[in-house]
Amino acid sequence: DAGVIQSPRHEVTEMGQEVTLRCKPISGHNSLFWYRQTMMRGLELLIYFNNNVPIDDSGMPEDRFSAKMPNASFSTLKIQPSEPRDSAVYFCASSLVTSGKDYNEQFFGPGTRLTVL
Amino acid sequence: QKEVEQDPGPLSVPEGAIVSLNCTYSNSAFQYFMWYRQYSRKGPELLMYTYSSGNKEDGRFTAQVDKSSKYISLFIRDSQPSDSATYLCAMKRPEYGNKLVFGAGTILRVKS
């Protein structure tokens, strides 16, 4: 079975440009997470969706960041305009949330390494 | 103060050593505790999870939770070079929904 798929794997862009990161969760999973990982701040949750609906976006750093999940098979994280401090590895993860179960394993994708010059 | 504290290391040990990795946390509401392993340039993968206090063993790996001290540990017996990775602890509070809070991760290097 395919795991979580992210594209592109690497992105190099210049400050001020728009960046779009893409994620395809594991088929059948109903919860999707976007994380950012840096040496300074570690792994931080940016936003997560349940059944395509954003539930918690308190980790989104500022208005330059936006995320969408138009259907159960696809999500995007957009940064506009990008800044050098956005350079990081961005991970997407998915999970199957079932009622009555407090813990559900999150499966991570391989990440997108973003460099903003 | 961060909710979850973890020493970033690196921790370097010889092959066959027993490794102890630890995290402390500040909020007693955390009830689910996880250890993720992350190889270089890969996504984290779940290694073990425990609910509340106690021990859990899986092969060479043992996870311990001491809620009274707000302290969790991961022990690796007979460490192998293939165990070289970053180990991240993560925690969850029931009222947080599916949100996990991660430690900074400890870099482990097992030398052959």
Side-chain angles (χ1 to χ4, degrees), chain B residues 91-111:
Chain B
M91 306 181 186
K92 178 182 174 307
R93 293 161 52 171
E95 66 269 30
Y96 269 4
N98 296 315
K99 186 174 177 177
L100 299 182
V101 179
F102 281 85
T106 299
I107 298 170
L108 172 66
R109 295 176 183 147
V110 182
K111 298 178 292 186

Side-chain angles (χ1 to χ4, degrees), chain A residues 13-62:
Chain A
T13 190
E14 292 190 346
M15 184 172 64
Q17 296 298 305
E18 178 180 294
V19 174
T20 300
L21 311 181
R22 297 173 176 80
C23 175
K24 178 178 169 54
I26 292 173
S27 177
H29 282 190
N30 54 9
S31 195
L32 183 140
F33 308 80
W34 282 102
Y35 289 89
R36 178 172 68 176
Q37 187 174 42
T38 62
M39 290 291 292
M40 290 295 295
R41 301 176 66 92
L43 192 62
E44 303 173 285
L45 179 66
L46 300 177
I47 184 171
Y48 82 90
F49 297 82
N50 276 354
N51 296 314
N52 312 339
V53 176
I55 301 300
D56 186 339
D57 65 354
S58 59
M60 295 286 260
E62 47 197 277

Side-chain angles (χ1 to χ4, degrees), chain B residues 11 13 18-22 35 71 73-76 106 108:
Chain B
L11 179 62
V13 301
I18 297 174
V19 175
S20 172
L21 304 167
N22 311 294
W35 286 96
Y71 189 87
S73 301
L74 177 71
F75 297 95
I76 307 174
T106 299
L108 172 66

Side-chain angles (χ1 to χ4, degrees), chain A residues 37 97 102-103 106 113, chain B residues 32 34 38 41 92 98:
Chain A
Q37 187 174 42
V97 175
D102 275 337
Y103 171 70
Q106 292 184 20
R113 186 171 295 271
Chain B
Y32 293 87
M34 289 130 268
Q38 184 177 21
R41 298 188 178 266
K92 178 182 174 307
N98 296 315

Side-chain angles (χ1 to χ4, degrees), chain B residues 11 21 36-40 45 80-88 105-110:
Chain B
L11 179 62
L21 304 167
Y36 279 80
R37 179 175 61 194
Q38 184 177 21
Y39 290 115
S40 180
E45 56 179 347
Q80 303 294 310
S82 58
D83 295 327
S84 298
T86 297
Y87 290 80
L88 301 108
T106 299
I107 298 170
L108 172 66
R109 295 176 183 147
V110 182

Side-chain angles (χ1 to χ4, degrees), chain A residues 35 103 106, chain B residues 2-6 22-36 46 48-50 64-67 70-73 88-94 96-103:
Chain A
Y35 289 89
Y103 171 70
Q106 292 184 20
Chain B
K2 291 183 179 179
E3 280 192 286
V4 180
E5 298 279 357
Q6 185 176 10
N22 311 294
C23 288
T24 59
Y25 61 96
S26 56
N27 194 319
S28 58
F30 285 124
Q31 290 194 14
Y32 293 87
F33 304 91
M34 289 130 268
W35 286 96
Y36 279 80
L46 181 68
M48 298 183 72
Y49 91 93
T50 52
Q64 283 187 355
V65 175
D66 182 349
K67 291 195 73 179
K70 300 191 183 70
Y71 189 87
I72 70 170
S73 301
L88 301 108
C89 63
M91 306 181 186
K92 178 182 174 307
R93 293 161 52 171
Y96 269 4
N98 296 315
K99 186 174 177 177
L100 299 182
V101 179
F102 281 85

Side-chain angles (χ1 to χ4, degrees), chain A residues 96-113:
Chain A
L96 175 60
V97 175
T98 53
S99 60
K101 198 175 171 190
D102 275 337
Y103 171 70
N104 306 279
E105 182 179 353
Q106 292 184 20
F107 295 82
F108 283 77
T112 295
R113 186 171 295 271

